Amino acid sequence: MKKLIAGNWKMNGSLQSNTALVQALLSNAAQWKCDVALCVPAPYLSQLQSLSKASPLLFGAQDVSMHEAGAYTGEVSAAMLKDFDCRYAIVGHSERRQFHAENDALVAAKAQKALAFGITPIVCVGETLQEREAGLTEEVVKRQLAAVIHVNGHCISEIVLAYEPVWAIGTGKTATPEQAQHVHAVLRGQLRAASAHADRVHIVYGGSMNAANAAQLLAQPDIDGGLVGGASLKAADFLSIIAAAH
Ligand code: PEP
């Protein structure tokens, strides 16, 4: 399957710097052999919509509300994201689980709302360092994915799944290709038990992926792409990761 490299800008960017970054990426687009997406802060979705027009660049949001509309101050609905042609919405990123107390049930409801509006949720799962050291990695990621499978049933093959060990996000520590492949294989097995179409689900790795380690990670049989934070903010670094995905 064609790999997917998705950037997560987190809370970074400005109208001016976004234009420069996207133009630098697009100047290389003829070389891309994978799908490329950028998940940007909500105020910049309209800018991405125009910058990416008539190009292969896909884009999405970093979160979506579990509610459809109404008195939910500060929330952004799936319908609103769809208005701007969003292809993806990250749900359950560890920073939202940690700083916004998002739990498995909420993440599953958000994934369901995205799917209902034709947006592909990029569902993030991953263990903390403490959980890994306690030997709980498989248990944790399986519990997180099970909640999403429970709510989304046969639609589960429409998601993108991101394995992001929390201890590797923004820390410069990367899971080894073997560690990542092991967890990806566990997740693939869980998806297979839930859906006949599990093999077409992109399971992407995230956690300090960079120009130096991307090729080895992406060579693993169950690593179908990357979710890239810090390195997606620099055109040269992000383009090197894209080049490693073929
Ligand atoms: C992320 O935020 O999804 C991520 C993987 O960040 P980083 O690449 O900076 O570790």
Side-chain angles (χ1 to χ4, degrees):
M1 102 180 58
K2 212 175 183 188
K3 289 193 178 357
L4 167 66
I5 301 295
N8 172 16
W9 283 359
K10 312 195 188 200
M11 200 171 71
N12 294 292
S14 67
L15 285 175
Q16 204 180 356
S17 65
N18 300 345
T19 300
L21 177 53
V22 172
Q23 283 175 351
L25 296 174
L26 287 178
S27 68
N28 181 263
Q31 317 296 320
W32 297 352
K33 297 198 166 53
C34 60
D35 288 331
V36 178
L38 294 174
C39 294
V40 305
Y44 298 131
L45 290 171
S46 158
Q47 186 189 15
L48 262 290
Q49 190 183 26
S50 36
L51 286 173
S52 65
K53 205 157 254 160
S55 89
L57 180 65
L58 304 165
F59 65 93
Q62 298 172 7
D63 186 29
V64 61
S65 178
M66 69 170 284
H67 303 290
E68 233 159 82
Y72 302 103
T73 302
E75 293 274 276
V76 176
S77 73
M80 293 170 187
L81 298 183
K82 199 64 193 170
D83 259 352
F84 288 94
D85 297 331
C86 265
R87 169 75 176 264
Y88 297 103
I90 297 174
V91 299
H93 191 280
S94 66
E95 286 151 15
R96 295 209 61 86
R97 292 181 191 259
Q98 187 184 348
F99 303 129
H100 300 269
E102 295 198 2
N103 61 25
D104 295 342
L106 176 64
V107 172
K110 288 182 170 196
Q112 185 180 36
K113 203 54 81 186
L115 287 168
F117 283 83
I119 294 165
T120 301
I122 302 179
V123 177
C124 300
V125 300
E127 81 288 0
T128 63
L129 184 58
Q130 213 179 10
E131 289 163 341
R132 173 163 282 266
E133 285 173 347
L136 296 173
T137 298
E138 289 186 30
E139 193 179 311
V140 169
V141 298
K142 282 166 95 169
R143 186 203 73 221
Q144 291 171 333
L145 177 57
V148 181
I149 291 173
H150 178 69
V151 169
N152 292 284
H154 62 275
C155 290
I156 198 66
S157 62
E158 305 301 320
I159 72 166
V160 168
L161 183 58
Y163 170 54
E164 297 210 306
V166 179
W167 49 271
I169 297 178
T171 58
K173 287 186 197 142
T174 318
T176 64
E178 296 71 27
Q179 281 174 326
Q181 166 56 30
H182 176 78
V183 177
H184 281 232
V186 167
L187 295 170
R188 181 84 66 200
Q190 191 177 0
L191 288 171
R192 280 193 185 129
S195 163
H197 306 295
D199 287 2
R200 67 171 195 231
V201 176
H202 282 88
I203 308 180
V204 302
Y205 168 82
S208 299
M209 186 181 264
N210 59 38
N213 61 30
Q216 265 198 309
L217 286 159
L218 293 168
Q220 302 301 310
D222 287 298
I223 301 188
D224 307 314
L227 182 54
V228 184
S232 71
L233 296 170
K234 296 185 201 117
D237 290 7
F238 197 50
L239 286 172
S240 304
I241 296 173
I242 291 168
H246 42 73

